[in-house]
Amino acid sequence: MAWGSGAFNSCDKLLERVEKNDPTLKELVILPMKTFGAKDLERLSNAIGELDEQVDVFPLRWRYISCIVQYYVFCCMLNRLICPMQLLTMYLTTENGVNTHLVSISASGHQLPPSSLKAFGNALSIQAQKQQKFGITSLAIGSKDMGDEGVIALCQGLALSNGALLQHLDLGWKEIGKDGLYEIGRTFFHSTFLTQLDLSRNDFGNDGIVQLSKAVVEHHDDDAVAFPALEQLILSECNIDSAGMDVLAKILLGPENTKRSKRIHLAIGSNPIGSAGCHSLVQLLSCTDHGSIISHLQAAQCSIGDEGVGILSNGCHQNVEIMDISDNNITKDGAKKFAQSLSHSWPDLVELKIAKNELGSDGVSAMLASLVTRSDTGESTDSEKNSTLKNLDLSYTNCGAEGAKAALASGGLHTLRLFGNTIGSDGFDAIAPLLQGGHPNIENLDLGGNNAEEESVVRLLDSIADKKDDSTHSRLVVLEIGGNKFGDMAMEALTRLQSVWPELDVAHDKPVEESGWKDEDQD
């Protein structure tokens, strides 16, 4: 990766390295503080793919014909035969478009005219035709004022090669509207390379999704799905509601009797899809024949509420591994509905984030009751309980001491976050016995931001240090207790703990004396 050198604001030295095909330069990062304009982009374009004055693509097959003609001309001039491959190599490497090492360009935050963006898109298309196995695969370019005009210009150049070799395309926060979405759909619909598309923070709303769908319909094949290589689609903060979600589901599902070869990480956070939008999500999560086409669902701040959780709890969502439904106005009622589905609707769910929902101790306890319990609790293990969930985020859920105890009684979790539940000293005292000698399955435990007094922090640390016997085995490797009182007594308890479990990493606040803060500037 290179950040530039020479004059502070200049990219000249960096572009020279690109033009010289520096083999050590794989990732080009041009920070917003740098000067990067039309002329700089033109240099970059010429280093990637040759451009004539009209900035048109000269198809590769005609380049080969030209080589053959030049071959015979050279032979006549020299009155002897020379190796055709030698001549071809000379032809391809003595003109522009010589860079064969650069794979990633990040140049967000720079205002660039549409004409330059189109030329750059053309250069990428030329490179894709010349070099099928290597080239620019990751791109982030343009400023927040790029708009439809800039995106359309870039895509017009890229359309000549169905999006070139791009695998990762970041067009987040570019003020893209519905016309830009149409051009993106038209350009990348058939791309067999594009795996990640970031369109977040563009306020195109439902109209944009409709135009994306229009491009797909106009250019689709009967037996093909749109964006066949897509693995991650980021649509956070795009003002999409339930109607837009319905259209999006149709785009991703494709025609009947078609199947996507890869699961998708779908990020739709901070969109007002509401509970009605969950019906479309269920279509994506519950494909009858081959399971969910979604592997990761990020749907935080989507106002789905208890009703939406109830809708998501229906069916069998095979293949869904990670889900984030944080900050969605879910209460204990929604938590109880979801708890009932954990044992049968989510057979592959490994990670769940349900933070910033007012679940209360009843809601949290109900959810944890559907998970397998620790073998040392004396409770029988129900084979029908969920055993796949490993990572659970219950931060800011008002879980209370009872909810925290239920979480620590789980026998399947590896990571547990209870940050910001203000369970206080009573909560720490209640969970301390469940942490005696460590924990048999939890590896990462976050108890930060719970406002416990130092005495309770000491008792909790001493409990973890208290091995029941020499055979005690703890998997706990990270403990976070910042946001709780931590003074000299807690520091001493931590020392005792580390003498027993030296590999345990404990994150805590800087020790504060009991006397509190002193204003050294006060007379």
Side-chain angles (χ1 to χ4, degrees):
M1 181 183 295
W3 304 84
S5 59
F8 180 76
N9 291 325
S10 175
C11 293
D12 185 65
K13 295 295 183 182
L14 192 56
L15 293 174
E16 283 183 5
R17 292 180 60 191
V18 177
E19 292 165 336
K20 292 178 180 178
N21 200 19
D22 184 344
T24 65
L25 181 55
K26 305 289 187 181
E27 300 177 8
L28 176 63
V29 179
I30 303 174
L31 299 176
M33 66 183 68
K34 296 289 184 180
T35 300
F36 186 75
K39 291 184 178 181
D40 299 305
L41 185 57
E42 181 180 351
R43 287 180 62 183
L44 186 58
S45 299
N46 282 318
I48 292 170
E50 79 280 18
L51 300 174
D52 63 18
E53 293 181 357
Q54 287 74 38
V55 199
D56 291 328
V57 172
F58 189 32
L60 188 57
R61 61 181 178 273
W62 295 112
R63 291 167 53 79
Y64 288 151
I65 293 173
S66 178
C67 283
I68 294 171
V69 172
Q70 291 190 40
Y71 169 69
Y72 285 110
V73 171
F74 268 74
C75 288
C76 293
M77 291 175 61
L78 298 175
N79 197 26
R80 66 180 177 87
L81 292 175
I82 63 174
C83 175
M85 288 307 298
Q86 180 182 357
L87 180 61
L88 179 61
T89 301
M90 290 169 57
Y91 179 70
L92 292 178
T93 58
T94 55
E95 59 183 348
N96 293 334
V98 297
N99 191 284
T100 57
H101 297 288
L102 195 63
V103 297
S104 175
I105 298 174
S106 178
S108 291
H110 298 278
Q111 289 187 335
L112 300 165
S115 59
S116 298
L117 289 166
K118 183 178 180 180
F120 181 65
N122 279 329
L124 293 175
S125 286
I126 293 171
Q127 184 186 63
Q129 291 183 356
K130 288 172 52 180
Q131 306 172 21
Q132 294 294 330
K133 295 184 179 180
F134 51 82
I136 305 301
T137 60
S138 180
L139 176 64
I141 196 167
S143 68
K144 65 178 182 179
D145 301 318
M146 189 174 181
D148 281 346
E149 187 178 7
V151 170
I152 290 172
L154 176 66
C155 286
Q156 284 175 344
L158 290 169
L160 299 164
S161 58
N162 292 326
L165 303 175
L166 291 178
Q167 298 176 18
H168 303 158
L169 178 60
D170 181 356
L171 293 174
W173 200 22
K174 300 294 186 292
E175 291 194 3
I176 305 174
K178 61 180 183 179
D179 295 335
L181 262 290
Y182 175 85
E183 200 66 29
I184 290 170
R186 187 179 75 87
T187 301
F188 291 96
F189 175 82
H190 291 293
S191 174
T192 57
F193 295 98
L194 188 67
T195 60
Q196 179 179 323
L197 177 59
D198 185 351
L199 298 173
S200 61
R201 301 176 73 184
N202 289 295
D203 191 22
F204 46 72
N206 294 344
D207 290 342
I209 300 299
V210 169
Q211 286 299 305
L212 185 67
S213 175
K214 180 181 177 182
V216 168
V217 170
E218 291 178 355
H219 298 87
H220 85 287
D221 298 324
D222 292 337
D223 58 347
V225 295
F227 316 106
L230 193 63
E231 296 179 15
Q232 184 173 16
L233 178 59
I234 306 176
L235 296 171
S236 305
E237 297 183 56
C238 291
N239 196 27
I240 303 169
D241 63 19
S242 59
M245 282 301 305
D246 184 54
V247 178
L248 179 63
K250 290 181 172 64
I251 294 173
L252 296 179
L253 289 171
E256 292 185 15
N257 302 319
T258 59
K259 179 181 177 181
R260 301 195 74 91
S261 61
K262 298 181 179 180
R263 312 291 176 189
I264 296 176
H265 174 180
L266 178 62
I268 54 169
S270 301
N271 283 295
I273 71 170
S275 59
C278 291
H279 291 290
S280 301
L281 284 178
V282 168
Q283 293 179 39
L284 297 171
L285 297 173
S286 304
C287 301
T288 305
D289 297 333
H290 43 80
S292 170
I293 68 169
I294 305 298
S295 62
H296 298 47
L297 175 63
Q298 195 281 316
Q301 288 186 316
C302 288
S303 303
I304 65 176
D306 291 339
E307 183 178 355
V309 169
I311 295 170
L312 291 177
S313 298
N314 295 324
C316 181
H317 309 313
Q318 187 179 1
N319 301 322
V320 180
E321 300 173 3
I322 297 176
M323 184 164 67
D324 183 357
I325 50 175
S326 301
D327 201 3
N328 266 300
N329 302 321
I330 303 170
T331 70
K332 64 178 182 180
D333 296 328
K336 291 178 180 179
K337 293 177 183 178
F338 190 78
Q340 294 173 359
S341 72
L342 270 174
S343 61
H344 57 82
S345 293
W346 311 92
D348 300 306
L349 190 64
V350 175
E351 180 175 318
L352 173 65
K353 295 181 180 180
I354 195 168
K356 296 184 180 180
N357 290 293
E358 193 71 15
L359 307 181
S361 60
D362 290 345
V364 169
S365 296
M367 286 185 56
L368 271 301
S370 64
L371 306 182
V372 294
T373 54
R374 287 168 50 168
S375 58
D376 60 354
T377 59
E379 297 184 19
S380 59
T381 302
D382 189 340
S383 60
E384 294 187 358
K385 288 188 175 184
N386 182 290
S387 61
T388 63
L389 191 64
K390 302 302 179 185
N391 306 324
L392 180 60
D393 188 351
L394 293 169
S395 302
Y396 296 106
T397 55
N398 194 24
C399 69
E402 291 303 313
K405 288 171 60 179
L408 288 169
S410 165
L413 296 178
H414 291 171
T415 298
L416 175 62
R417 296 201 70 215
L418 295 171
F419 185 90
N421 280 290
T422 59
I423 61 175
S425 296
D426 291 342
F428 267 46
D429 290 342
I431 64 176
L434 289 169
L435 289 170
Q436 184 179 0
H439 200 281
N441 51 272
I442 293 178
E443 300 172 1
N444 297 275
L445 176 60
D446 186 354
L447 296 173
N450 277 294
N451 298 339
E453 295 296 330
E454 185 176 12
E455 292 79 3
S456 296
V457 173
V458 169
R459 285 191 286 270
L460 183 136
L461 294 175
D462 283 341
S463 180
I464 298 174
D466 182 16
K467 285 187 178 182
K468 298 177 183 178
D469 51 54
D470 292 338
S471 63
T472 298
H473 175 69
S474 173
R475 297 190 64 178
L476 192 63
V477 294
V478 177
L479 173 65
E480 299 182 47
I481 53 174
N484 299 286
K485 291 289 181 66
F486 199 93
D488 291 339
M489 291 190 302
M491 198 66 205
E492 293 173 1
L494 178 58
T495 301
R496 293 192 294 271
L497 171 60
Q498 291 177 330
S499 67
V500 177
W501 299 112
E503 296 183 358
L504 177 60
D505 184 9
V506 180
H508 56 85
D509 293 340
K510 183 178 179 180
V512 179
E513 296 181 359
E514 285 295 324
S515 58
W517 298 100
K518 294 182 180 180
D519 189 348
E520 296 179 356
D521 295 331
Q522 186 175 357
D523 292 332

